[in-house]
Amino acid sequence: MNRPMLPEKMRGSAGIIRLHGHRGARGVLPENTLIGFRNTFEIGVQVVETDIMVTADGVPVLTHNPRLMAAATRGPDGSWLTQDSKPIVQMTHDNLQQFDVGGLRDGTGYAARYPDQAFLSGIRIPDLAQLATLLQSPEHADAFLNIEIKSNPDHPDDAPPIPRLVAPVLAVINAAGIADRVLLQSFDWRVLSEIARQAPQIPLSYLTYETRAYPTMAVNVIDGSLWLDGASIADHNGSIPQVVSNLGGAVWSPYFQDLTSQTLAEAHALGLAVNVWTVNETADINRMIDLGVDGITTDYPARAQRCLLAKGQSWREDITPPPA
Ligand code: MG
């Protein structure tokens, strides 16, 4: 099948597993912030993963949830939001700039999950154009983006109609001249179909999450659901890699606990790269390295670097393990 190829520096190979800093490096710096992205690049990780929502005035901004999270957001007067904000899609870019997303609120479950995250103040939600500018600087000439476009078929009002969600993202990518340094991903495969129509040269990553008790999040690989945009897993002998391959995906991105050595081998045989998310515990990172995935998305990129080096492997060709 004719499909856009991943840039070589995003492809795994013998002894090389690519690291993707999840939301920058959520474990240690506020998520989806320029300081998090910069820090991830500066420790030598070449790929940052980020999330896109589009504002009421059509600006792609880098933030994960459809609403600003009360646990992570302070208002213009410096006080914590008492509840999640109204939908970002109903807010303008200027509105959003009034909020501070530099820290997690003590006492919340979210803060408890990331006890090592730096607490900063005066941190604004970046827009995609700012991150693209970072890539244009000579010091980040070998940096790449794994951009997740957020869309939820169960909550269609949380995003613009899909063509208007995709178009401004592509406009920023094209204006910055970084189309050959991005991978676009989504759980909502309608988004990926739309990207394939508007920008058929950009490689796509099909995110999947299968049924399990924890974490509690929307399962997208269900035949007949809007998530799959009409694709049928049953029609492909129950094989998700086959579906992704047939759709022209460059990458299959399963939840790491969903991946088996069989499905990994099947994906590789089909020419797909396999990026797993979001792998944070050392034992899990090591297990994914041993399985031989192509990419690991993690909130702790430095931890994953150490795991790779300890196994005599790396995440990039120009960094090799130290002597024992
Ligand atoms: Mg994401």
Side-chain angles (χ1 to χ4, degrees):
M1 159 124 216
N2 193 14
R3 62 167 70 103
M5 289 288 284
L6 265 184
E8 194 185 330
K9 285 181 178 168
M10 293 180 95
R11 257 180 269 155
S13 60
I16 302 278
I17 293 177
R18 305 301 177 181
L19 296 180
H20 297 219
H22 186 236
R23 310 188 194 179
R26 177 170 56 169
V28 294
L29 285 164
E31 66 185 69
N32 284 319
T33 59
L34 289 174
I35 188 172
F37 301 132
R38 256 190 251 114
N39 178 271
T40 300
F41 290 142
E42 283 175 13
I43 64 169
V45 167
Q46 289 158 297
V47 190
V48 296
E49 188 269 0
T50 186
D51 308 286
I52 297 247
M53 306 285 304
V54 170
T55 63
D57 48 345
V59 180
V61 290
L62 308 181
T63 189
H64 182 273
N65 286 20
R67 298 157 190 266
L68 297 171
M69 282 182 282
T73 312
R74 283 161 282 168
D77 64 355
S79 59
W80 293 102
L81 299 194
T82 53
Q83 56 185 17
D84 290 353
S85 72
K86 66 181 181 180
I88 287 166
V89 71
Q90 295 175 21
M91 301 167 76
T92 64
H93 180 255
D94 281 356
N95 286 159
L96 274 180
Q97 293 307 300
Q98 299 173 4
F99 295 94
D100 187 338
V101 292
L104 302 178
R105 185 176 190 173
D106 251 356
T108 63
Y110 201 49
R113 277 173 62 195
Y114 299 100
D116 299 326
Q117 191 187 95
F119 189 95
L120 308 173
S121 290
I123 303 293
R124 306 300 161 193
I125 292 179
D127 50 64
L128 179 59
Q130 289 174 288
L131 181 55
T133 300
L134 201 60
L135 255 70
Q136 290 172 309
S137 75
E139 61 182 318
H140 299 307
D142 60 0
F144 297 82
L145 304 181
N146 179 0
I147 300 171
E148 180 186 352
I149 300 184
K150 286 295 187 187
S151 170
N152 184 336
D154 300 329
H155 298 281
D157 293 342
D158 283 347
I162 287 172
R164 287 206 285 117
L165 172 64
V166 166
V169 175
L170 295 174
V172 171
I173 290 169
N174 289 330
I178 57 167
D180 57 351
R181 293 163 70 191
V182 300
L183 173 65
L184 295 179
Q185 62 174 352
S186 190
F187 287 98
D188 186 343
W189 294 6
R190 299 173 305 169
V191 169
L192 302 178
S193 303
E194 182 62 25
I195 298 166
R197 279 188 284 275
Q198 294 191 24
Q201 79 283 8
I202 294 186
L204 300 177
S205 166
Y206 287 71
L207 282 159
T208 63
Y209 180 68
E210 298 179 49
T211 308
R212 56 179 56 248
Y214 185 83
T216 49
M217 55 174 283
V219 172
N220 72 325
V221 279
I222 301 173
D223 275 9
S225 78
L226 287 172
W227 294 99
L228 297 196
D229 192 28
S232 164
I233 297 161
D235 286 353
H236 294 81
N237 310 310
S239 163
I240 295 172
Q242 275 189 35
V243 179
V244 172
S245 176
N246 275 9
L247 289 170
V251 177
W252 173 39
S253 292
Y255 178 55
F256 78 98
Q257 300 281 25
D258 293 338
L259 184 69
T260 66
S261 55
Q262 287 81 8
T263 51
L264 177 65
E266 188 180 3
H268 281 166
L270 291 162
L272 294 171
V274 177
N275 291 352
V276 285
W277 56 274
T278 297
V279 196
N280 287 342
E281 300 303 324
T282 300
D284 293 326
I285 294 167
N286 282 330
R287 191 163 63 81
M288 291 299 114
I289 294 171
D290 292 343
L291 263 181
V293 299
D294 300 271
I296 294 175
T297 298
T298 177
D299 288 318
Y300 298 91
R303 183 182 295 173
Q305 288 176 317
R306 296 272 299 272
C307 291
L308 279 164
L309 294 176
K311 287 179 176 291
Q313 300 189 39
S314 187
W315 59 98
R316 53 190 291 173
E317 287 79 357
D318 55 353
I319 291 179
T320 51

